[in-house]
Amino acid sequence: MEETGVKRKLAVILAADFAGYSRLMGTDEEATLKTLGAYREIIDGLIAGHDGRIFSTAGDSVVAEFASAVEAVRAAISIQQELSVRNAGLADGRKMPLRIGINLGDVMVEGENLLGDGVNVAARLEGLAEPGGICISGDVYNQIETKLALGYEDLGAQSVKNIARPVRAYRVVAGPGAGTVTATGPQPRRSPVTDKPSIAVLPFINMSGDAEQEYFSDGITEDLITDLAKITGLFVASRNAVFRYKGQAVEPKQVGRDLEVRYLLEGSVRKAGDRVRITAQLIDPRTGYHLWAERYDRDLTDIFALQDEITEKIVAALEVKLTEGEQERVASRYTENLEAYDYFLRGRAYHARATKEATAQAREMFERAIELDPSFAGAYAILSHTHFRDWLFQWSEDSQPLDRVVKLAKKAVALDDSLPLAHTYLAYAYVWRKQHDEAIAEGQRAIDLDPNFAEGYARLGHILILAGRPQEGIDLVRKAMRLDPHYPFTYLFYLGHAYYAMEKYEEAIAALKKGFTRNPDLMVSHLVLAVIHSELGRKEEARAEVAETLRISPRASMEGQRERMPFKDQAVLERYLNALRKTGLPETSKAAAP
C-alpha cells in the first residue's frame, strides 16, 4: 500500500566499501586513515565528475546516486582503475581494494538521504563483488549492455540478505568490447576485443640483484610487446595495461580476466657481465597450465636473436599465421649494436617518466645511442619526441625545436619505414606545424603497420580533432581506450579538445577534470579549461586555471598559443584565442616568465 507523504523516485545507486578495512585499522590506524583519506578524494572527485551525488558515508563506505546507469558504471570503472594504480605502490599488507555494487531501483527520498530496497540491493551487490571489482544488477545491465565497451560475466540469480526475491547479478569486466556476456562455469571465455588470439606480456622480473638493471628487463618486455603487436592476427595487451602488474605477485586467472586475454607470457631476466639468462613461460590463465616454458642462457650479443626466438615460439604455439611481409617486420631489430641498444633502453625508461628532467636525461641517452649507431631509427624517433615535449611545454628557449622534431622523425622514417612510432611522432609534429593532410597520412600509416597500436589510434584521433573532424577523432580515441583500458591521461585531454571544438562544454570539462585525477599538472588541459570557463562567463574559474597554467609552465603566453594552436577550422581557432585573451594570460613569454 502506498505510504502517505513518502516521496519516491527511480535512481541508480552505487555502493562501495574497502575490503579488509577493519584488519588494516587493527594493524596501523594512522596509515590506514591516511590512505582512506587519499582514496576518498579520488572517489569523491570521480563520482562528481560523472554527475553523481554522495548521500551516505560511514567509516570506509560510500553510497551515491546517479541519474544515468551509464555514468554510474563509468564512474565505477574510473575509480577502480585509479585505485588499482595507487594500490600497486603499496606493500601487499597495506593495499586497500574497493568493492562496488550498482543497482537501478525505486527509492524513498528523506531529505538528502535515500532509503529502501533500491539502496539495499546495491549494498548486497557490493558484497558479491570481488576486491577491486564491480557487480551490477540485471536492471543496470539492461541499460548499459549496448552503450559501454565492456564485458560482463553473468552470475545468475543471487539470493541476498533481507531481499525477498533473487537478484540477477553481473560482474563487470573493465576491458574493451561491447556487450559481451559470459556465463558462469568452466567454459572458455572469448575476449570481447576481437576474435583473434589474445595475449598479455607481463613485466619480466629483474633477477640481476641490481635495481639499476630494471630498465633492461623492462626493455625486454616492451620489445616483446612491440614485436607481437606487429602481427595482424594477434591481439596484444598494451604496455600501460600490463605494467600496472609490475612488482606484484599475480594470479594468472585474475589477470586473464582483468585484461580479457586468452594467454599470458611471463618471465625473468638475469643480466651479469656479458651473459644473460631469460626464462619465459606461456600460460593458459583459465587452467594455470604452461603451454611451453624455456630457459635461455646466452651471450648478451645474442639478445636480439633470443627475442626473435621467443616471438616465433609464441606465434607457433598460438597457431597464428603471418601475412606477407610480417615475418620480416617482426624480425626487424632497432639496432645490432648492443651498447647502442643499452643506451636506448635507458633512454626509454627516462622518457616514460615524462618530466622535464627525465626528458633531458632521455635525450642524452638517445644521442649516445645514435653516436654508436647512426642508423638507429628507434633512437631518432623517440629523440624527436623529447624535443617535441620541450616545444609543447615551453621547457626550452630554443626557437626552432619543432623543426628539429620533424627533421629527426623524418630521419627515423627514412631509416626504417616499418616503425609505427616514427610515423606517429612525425604525424604529431606535422599537425602542430599546421600541415594537417601530411599529419593524417603519417598517422594512418602508423596504425596500418601496427593494428594493436593504441597510442597510434589516439594520436591520429587527436590529429583529426584538430583538423576539423572531431567526431571521427573521438571514435579513434575511444578505440584506443578499448585497446588500452589503462590508457594514459593524455587520451582524456584529446577528448576534452574534441568536445571543446564541438561546443559540448560540460563534456569537455568532465573529460579534462577526469584527466587531472591522474596528472593534475597537464598544462594544456588547464589552458583549455581556462578557455571554456571564459566562454561560459566564469571569470574567476578561468583566471584560476590560467594561474595553474603559469605555475606549471611560467613561459605560457598568448603569443605562444597563437603560434602553437593548430585548429584547422578558423572559426574554432578564433573562438579559442578570443576566449583565452580574456583570461589574463600574459601576452608574451617574457611577461609570463618570473
Side-chain angles (χ1 to χ4, degrees), residues 135-150:
C135 191
I136 63 175
S137 67
D139 289 331
V140 173
Y141 169 76
N142 291 336
Q143 293 293 315
I144 71 171
E145 61 171 316
T146 61
K147 298 181 179 71
L148 293 177
L150 300 170

Side-chain angles (χ1 to χ4, degrees), residues 78-343:
S78 297
I79 288 167
Q80 295 293 33
Q81 288 175 343
E82 294 305 320
L83 297 192
S84 174
V85 172
R86 297 297 184 98
N87 277 324
L90 298 177
D92 287 342
R94 301 306 311 168
K95 298 182 190 299
M96 285 179 56
L98 190 72
R99 293 189 180 96
I100 297 178
I102 304 175
N103 180 47
L104 169 62
D106 194 81
V107 297
M108 296 184 291
V109 181
E110 188 178 81
E112 295 296 313
N113 201 16
L114 302 178
L115 304 167
D117 280 356
V119 178
N120 296 337
V121 169
R124 301 297 178 256
L125 290 166
E126 175 266 304
L128 293 174
E130 300 171 345
I134 303 165
C135 191
I136 63 175
S137 67
D139 289 331
V140 173
Y141 169 76
N142 291 336
Q143 293 293 315
I144 71 171
E145 61 171 316
T146 61
K147 298 181 179 71
L148 293 177
L150 300 170
Y152 309 92
E153 182 177 357
D154 187 349
L155 302 178
Q158 299 283 324
S159 296
V160 295
K161 184 179 178 182
N162 295 333
I163 303 298
R165 295 180 179 179
V167 176
R168 189 64 176 264
Y170 292 82
R171 186 176 72 86
V172 175
V173 180
T180 299
V181 181
T182 58
T184 54
Q187 70 271 26
R189 222 169 42 151
R190 188 182 67 180
S191 166
V193 177
T194 175
D195 289 328
K196 302 174 185 178
S198 51
I199 187 171
V201 182
L202 296 177
F204 275 41
I205 300 168
N206 172 29
M207 301 292 288
S208 302
D210 179 1
E212 291 187 3
Q213 293 296 320
E214 203 77 15
Y215 76 92
F216 191 82
S217 56
D218 288 351
I220 297 297
T221 307
E222 291 191 47
D223 283 346
L224 287 170
I225 292 171
T226 299
D227 289 346
L228 291 168
K230 294 175 184 176
I231 301 170
T232 55
L234 188 63
F235 172 79
V236 185
S238 72
R239 180 197 186 280
N240 286 327
V242 299
F243 266 78
R244 71 189 183 110
Y245 296 102
K246 182 176 168 63
Q248 297 185 47
V250 298
E251 199 280 309
K253 195 171 196 177
Q254 188 61 48
V255 175
R257 283 178 175 174
D258 290 347
L259 298 181
E260 284 290 320
V261 293
R262 181 68 177 75
Y263 304 97
L264 298 177
L265 181 72
E266 63 179 18
S268 64
V269 179
R270 183 187 299 275
K271 179 171 170 269
D274 59 357
R275 298 286 293 176
V276 63
R277 170 180 291 177
I278 293 181
T279 64
Q281 303 92 34
L282 187 64
I283 300 170
D284 181 340
R286 298 172 307 167
T287 63
Y289 292 153
H290 288 62
L291 302 180
W292 63 263
E294 296 281 355
R295 188 179 78 179
Y296 306 89
D297 287 292
R298 303 284 178 84
D299 288 335
L300 202 54
T301 53
D302 293 335
I303 189 66
F304 306 126
L306 182 50
Q307 290 175 2
D308 290 342
E309 189 174 335
I310 294 172
T311 301
E312 289 167 6
K313 290 265 190 175
I314 294 168
V315 169
L318 304 188
E319 298 181 351
V320 178
K321 293 183 179 180
L322 300 183
T323 62
E324 185 177 352
E326 280 186 343
Q327 183 72 54
E328 182 179 347
R329 281 213 307 271
V330 171
S332 67
R333 279 287 144 227
Y334 291 118
T335 180
E336 296 300 327
N337 185 307
L338 189 60
E339 189 178 357
Y341 179 66
D342 192 78
Y343 277 122

Side-chain angles (χ1 to χ4, degrees), residues 426-453:
L426 180 56
Y428 221 47
Y430 273 144
V431 79
W432 292 94
R433 284 217 308 193
K434 305 178 179 62
Q435 296 174 252
H436 298 89
D437 293 342
E438 293 89 339
I440 292 169
E442 290 295 332
Q444 186 63 51
R445 173 67 174 153
I447 60 176
D448 288 344
L449 286 167
D450 183 351
N452 294 307
F453 191 19

